[in-house]
Amino acid sequence: MSVCSLGFLFFTGVVTLLFHARPGLGGRRMVLGAASLFFLAAFRPDLRSLAALAAFLFVTHMSLRLAPRASRLTVVLLGAAVVAAFLVLRRYSFLQSLLPAKLLGHPLELVGLSYMLFRFLHLLVDVRQGQIGAVSLTSYLSYQLSFLTLVAGPIQRYRDFRASWDTLARSTPPPRDTLLAWDRLLSGMIKIGLLSTALLYVYERAAAGALREQPPPALLLRFMAYFYSYPAYLFFNFSGYTDIVVGAGRLLNFSLPENFDRPYLARNILDFWNRWHITLTKWIRDYIFMTSYKWSVDRLGPSPFLGPSAVFVALLIAGLWHGSTSNFALFGLVHGVGAAVNQVYDEILKRRLKAPARRAYAENAWIRGAATFATLHVVCFSFLFFPGDLDLVFARLHFAATAVARLAGSAG
Amino acid sequence: MRRFLAWVSERPHRLRAYVVGKAAAVVVMLILVWALQDKDAVVVYMKF
């Protein structure tokens, strides 16, 4: 079921009515559980995919039960085995040279698997470290299969989930809050149904147009439409989705974390990731960046290269998580390099400028504007690699560069 | 937009009228999206 559909609007209305008709905690949990199962069934998964999903949830829950008593090596191996299963289930293209084609040619399609993996790994680490106690099977299934976060996040932490899950029985919010929750949900639908749809239409036309022989000014105009429309489409589509689920959550006494904060106004790549898909960034920071950084410092000692290297690895992995093809590796590479350069630049500033001068530098409106402009263009460039055939992306870049050269030549 | 929403939500009847109107507009939009989805003339793209 698309969250931007009449069906989802009706579904949310019915679930909200049933939810508030039941005052008790147990009854409300049952309503949400049934709603999540109905939502999952609406994707019409075949029996084999359902069995694979059940196996994934069973194995990961068993791992969580083992984690507090098992050795550190066992926990690492359990996590690695689940990641390996995820890579096979998502058919990552680099596995084609390592595994038999039959294994990767499976017909299984698991809705929301990437997000389930992140939620599981977070739980595995936190349960192992004793930050989270035992996780019952019903809590785990409710957490993993919640219709509010199943398809595309946000990646809610288990403790935050429990905070809402344990207080579902609190009284119905005042009418003003209910109306504002509906407003948020409806705004999300407008973002997806109207704005992102129109932008994707522009993108598709401009992408085709940027490959045709034409005078350089016309080609550059089409290239600019191609360059800017996809990032704008992605923002409206994904932030619209977040608006819908955050609004639906508020109607059901469920608090979900925010995922966007005006990302295209970021001053640098690290700032961009603090504003774009915020819950993913926090996950990557806590479980990849901090872990790899601490591990490196413990073994190699402090070094100015460790921070940029750890950031590079973290953002490369963030890129790879988005999809199974080399498109996403390139996306991650651009962001990894951008963030590493960002860190090195910060380090140089720290060494060359004293604190007051650094503050003045950071607050300078021209520098802020230039930094925001440069970051926006690096981000838009990285999103060129997100959709479609890479050969066509490079062909469009070549066409645009040739057009610029021809224009410069005729002007000279 | 935030300032507009703050103004709308100052009075309950104003907020109610705004959200009901917006809901009606969204329902019309979703009906159009659904109706145009399979037409060759208009391609409707929605990821979510």
Side-chain angles (χ1 to χ4, degrees), chain B residues 26-47:
Chain B
V26 167
V27 168
V28 171
M29 178 194 81
L30 292 175
I31 290 171
L32 282 174
V33 165
W34 173 74
L36 295 173
Q37 208 144 33
D38 298 323
K39 300 279 180 287
D40 290 339
V42 182
V43 184
V44 177
Y45 304 88
M46 281 200 305
K47 189 181 166 199

Side-chain angles (χ1 to χ4, degrees), chain A residues 331-347:
Chain A
F331 169 77
L333 194 70
V334 173
H335 281 269
V337 170
V341 168
N342 188 184
Q343 281 225 328
V344 171
Y345 187 66
D346 277 353
E347 196 57 42

